[in-house]
Amino acid sequence: MEYINPLFSKPAIEKTKTAVVPKRPNQLNKHRSVRKDKKHNIKFPVCSIVQIRLKSLCRQAQRIYRDRGKEPLSQTKFNTLLLRYGLNNEQILTWTQEYSDSKVYMHTKLLETEYTEIGGPYGFAVQKNLSERKVVFFIIMSVLKWLDGGGSLEEII
């Protein structure tokens, strides 16, 4: 006698072997190009006074951005704008400032193409025999010093 409900009937379970598909051997490792919009995160140390100054300047820049009708400006994006300005205007850079690692960091996200100016084979880190973090610190501090000496925030933005 068979059950009407198929849940109660005992089907014959057949074990079948599935064919194992062998993996393809890795073809020659093709060099994949880097995306043009890839970003490189670099953090740099700041003391509490510099952190407050950067946050204050970011708020001022946010007002300028809002007046121009642009998207909101984050702290990381503002730091990146300062770094870009310093990279484009090498005449304002000074490399003789005092550097100390305060264990408090702020971030920048440069495009990978711009990052080569700092950490590439012919970048500032190699030229000045400094770490990338120190190079970013010196550039940001130089731009802040330039702003204190009469530079315009609108010129950076």
Side-chain angles (χ1 to χ4, degrees):
M1 182 172 130
E2 290 186 26
Y3 292 103
I4 297 175
N5 191 344
L7 291 175
F8 295 114
S9 61
K10 296 181 181 177
I13 300 174
E14 295 180 17
K15 292 187 178 181
T16 58
K17 293 184 178 180
T18 58
V20 178
V21 180
K23 293 182 179 179
R24 267 193 284 164
N26 287 342
Q27 295 175 351
L28 296 175
N29 291 336
K30 295 181 181 178
H31 183 298
R32 294 175 46 180
S33 61
V34 178
R35 288 179 48 159
K36 291 181 181 177
D37 62 343
K38 182 179 178 184
K39 298 190 177 187
H40 193 93
N41 186 16
I42 307 171
K43 59 183 183 178
F44 61 98
V46 291
C47 64
S48 60
I49 295 170
V50 173
Q51 187 177 25
I52 291 169
R53 283 185 59 211
L54 285 171
K55 285 183 179 184
S56 173
L57 287 170
C58 180
R59 297 285 167 97
Q60 291 175 18
Q62 283 176 347
R63 279 191 228 116
I64 296 170
Y65 256 52
R66 190 175 45 238
D67 292 344
R68 291 182 183 175
K70 293 185 179 181
E71 72 279 354
L73 184 66
S74 68
Q75 183 69 51
T76 302
K77 192 171 181 181
F78 176 72
N79 295 343
T80 304
L81 287 174
L82 291 178
L83 185 59
R84 263 192 204 125
Y85 186 80
L87 287 173
N88 293 333
N89 299 292
E90 291 182 33
Q91 69 274 7
I92 66 171
L93 301 181
T94 57
W95 303 99
T96 58
Q97 302 166 12
E98 184 179 330
Y99 175 84
S100 63
D101 194 354
S102 62
K103 305 294 184 199
V104 176
Y105 301 101
M106 293 186 97
H107 294 264
T108 63
K109 287 194 176 183
L110 272 180
L111 291 173
E112 195 70 33
T113 54
E114 296 170 326
Y115 169 73
T116 57
E117 293 181 43
I118 293 174
Y122 303 106
F124 286 125
V126 174
Q127 291 174 8
K128 305 292 182 184
N129 196 20
L130 300 169
S131 69
E132 295 166 3
R133 197 174 281 186
K134 283 184 182 180
V135 170
V136 171
F137 173 80
F138 288 140
I139 292 173
I140 296 286
M141 295 308 288
S142 298
V143 173
L144 288 178
K145 188 176 179 180
W146 175 79
L147 283 170
D148 290 343
S152 171
L153 189 61
E154 291 185 8
E155 187 177 332
I156 293 174
I157 298 173

